[in-house]
Amino acid sequence: MAANTYLTGIKPTGDFHLGNYIGAIKPALAAAEVYDTFYFIADYHALNIIKDADELRQSIRSGAATWLACGLDPERTVFYRQSSIPETFELTTILSTLTPKGLMNRAHAYKAARDRNTEAGITDLDAGVNMGLYNYPVLMAADILVMEGARVPVGRDQSQHIEYTADIAGYFNHRYGDRYSFPIPKGVIDESDASILPGTDGRKMSKSYDNHIPLFLPEKKLRKAINRIPTDSTPVEDPKNPDSSIPFQLLTHFADEDKVADVRKRLEAGGMGWGDLKKELFEAVNTELGPKRARYEELMASETELDDILASGLERARERARRVLGDVRAAIGIA
């Protein structure tokens, strides 16, 4: 069973955008048709960023509601909060005793924080770095290994995350493998450009670039956001290159093949302006996301539905976590 486990963590740090939907949510929902899926709200990881209790509570609810509204089936996928699995944190302590400090020194997030201090002329290169950030790779490894995650989706620029987990599992297996061995997880990396959504400036859609379109904008605001996407000044009657157009690139992710082909033909032939293209894009995006927006609002308004769903997933997640931690405790001599 563990060999077929597909696991991903969802950090609840702000609203999701169209890029998250295309690049992460849809592929993860498709994976649930094939694998034994475990998806969790990584609320303890979020503590490195969010320090306000009310904001964190809201972000946790919003993150869970977003995935459920987009189609996550809690009967098929084990869906739970990281903070509800105490075995994860005991395993983190165990793994910390086997993980070299030098490995942590080379972690990208830690090195990036030190580089920012260097660029700012701050002599204490660890200024602003807390132990949550520094130990992040160990907690992440525990998240994966406590569920015996075999496949973990990661972005092309995040392969180090899964490499670290494989290394940490290897340290444990080398020491205690005659009693218990973790399966070595593999990263699921989409090497194509199909899952990368362009932002309003043409770069990868990202909140850090401020070029994103929030996932559940109300209709009027969604229309305005799409209408604000920059285009060139080519006259309506002139032929246009669809592949150089950000609205057309976005359309390919939300419209069916026939619609995309028709719009391409009209743009290349002339007679279709950028305004008409943006209308087509709005209709395609709103048609797909409108029902999901309504479901999201329904979940956020309910006082009990989200909690009930997460509680159900918790029981299934802890069943596996208890078994894995029991095997680990026996292997190290604690049990």
Side-chain angles (χ1 to χ4, degrees):
M1 195 71 164
N4 198 45
T5 299
Y6 185 103
L7 178 144
T8 193
I10 303 154
K11 191 180 293 184
T13 51
D15 294 334
F16 290 78
H17 54 71
L18 299 188
N20 300 136
Y21 175 68
I22 294 297
I25 296 176
K26 290 188 74 173
L29 296 180
E33 301 295 324
V34 180
Y35 298 108
D36 181 20
T37 44
F38 286 69
Y39 297 164
F40 66 93
I41 302 296
D43 42 9
Y44 262 73
H45 285 302
L47 283 173
N48 288 322
I49 300 172
I50 301 177
K51 306 300 183 185
D52 181 88
D54 291 336
E55 180 184 353
L56 182 57
R57 291 189 191 97
Q58 175 68 13
S59 293
I60 290 168
R61 286 179 54 80
S62 178
T66 295
W67 279 73
L68 290 165
C70 287
L72 186 148
D73 181 355
E75 296 298 321
R76 179 184 290 272
T77 294
V78 180
F79 190 46
Y80 59 98
R81 287 174 58 172
Q82 176 192 36
S83 58
S84 298
I85 311 297
E87 292 81 5
T88 298
F89 307 103
E90 183 173 347
L91 182 58
T92 299
T93 298
I94 294 168
L95 297 177
S96 295
T97 67
L98 297 165
T99 303
K101 178 178 180 292
L103 187 70
M104 297 298 96
N105 290 342
R106 297 189 293 274
H108 291 331
Y110 175 58
K111 289 176 66 178
R114 288 171 62 88
D115 289 344
R116 286 193 294 270
N117 285 334
T118 298
E119 293 170 1
I122 299 173
T123 56
D124 178 5
L125 298 184
D126 284 332
V129 177
N130 60 49
M131 290 305 295
L133 172 65
Y134 188 74
N135 289 331
Y136 177 96
V138 183
L139 176 54
M140 180 188 60
D143 290 324
I144 297 168
L145 298 177
V146 79
M147 297 300 169
E148 296 183 317
R151 293 174 174 83
V152 182
V154 292
R156 280 179 285 181
D157 58 346
Q158 298 174 326
S159 60
Q160 189 192 62
H161 293 336
I162 195 65
E163 292 167 2
Y164 267 38
T165 300
D167 287 343
I168 292 169
Y171 299 142
F172 182 94
N173 293 351
H174 177 73
R175 176 70 66 176
Y176 301 108
D178 58 331
R179 300 173 187 173
Y180 173 77
S181 290
F182 288 112
I184 303 298
K186 295 181 179 180
V188 179
I189 302 174
D190 187 348
E191 297 290 355
S192 72
D193 293 327
S195 63
I196 299 177
L197 202 71
T200 55
D201 60 0
R203 293 181 293 176
K204 177 181 178 181
M205 188 173 289
S206 170
K207 284 181 286 188
S208 62
Y209 294 152
D210 194 25
N211 66 353
H212 63 289
I213 298 176
L215 185 56
F216 292 134
L217 278 180
E219 284 191 26
K220 289 184 179 179
K221 291 185 177 181
L222 175 62
R223 189 188 298 274
K224 288 182 180 178
I226 289 174
N227 285 338
R228 286 197 296 265
I229 299 174
T231 51
D232 62 33
S233 57
T234 305
V236 171
E237 64 274 9
D238 287 2
K240 302 168 185 65
N241 179 8
D243 296 320
S244 66
S245 161
I246 295 170
F248 182 80
Q249 293 175 46
L250 292 172
L251 183 71
T252 64
H253 292 275
F254 289 94
D256 61 37
E257 292 182 4
D258 290 343
K259 172 60 71 174
V260 171
D262 176 64
V263 171
R264 174 183 288 278
K265 182 178 179 180
R266 292 162 62 195
L267 287 170
E268 291 176 338
M272 183 180 198
W274 297 129
D276 290 330
L277 170 60
K278 290 177 180 180
K279 289 179 183 177
E280 295 280 7
L281 175 59
F282 167 75
E283 292 298 334
V285 173
N286 195 53
T287 296
E288 179 162 346
L289 297 183
K292 296 175 174 59
R293 182 195 305 124
R295 175 59 176 151
Y296 171 82
E297 292 171 353
E298 181 182 78
L299 285 164
M300 292 297 288
S302 172
E303 295 183 1
T304 60
E305 188 172 3
L306 278 175
D307 291 338
D308 290 345
I309 291 171
L310 290 169
S312 175
L314 161 64
E315 291 304 315
R316 295 159 65 196
R318 286 206 69 188
E319 181 179 354
R320 177 171 292 200
R322 289 190 191 101
R323 190 259 300 163
V324 170
L325 186 63
D327 290 343
V328 169
R329 286 171 63 93
I332 65 176
I334 295 294

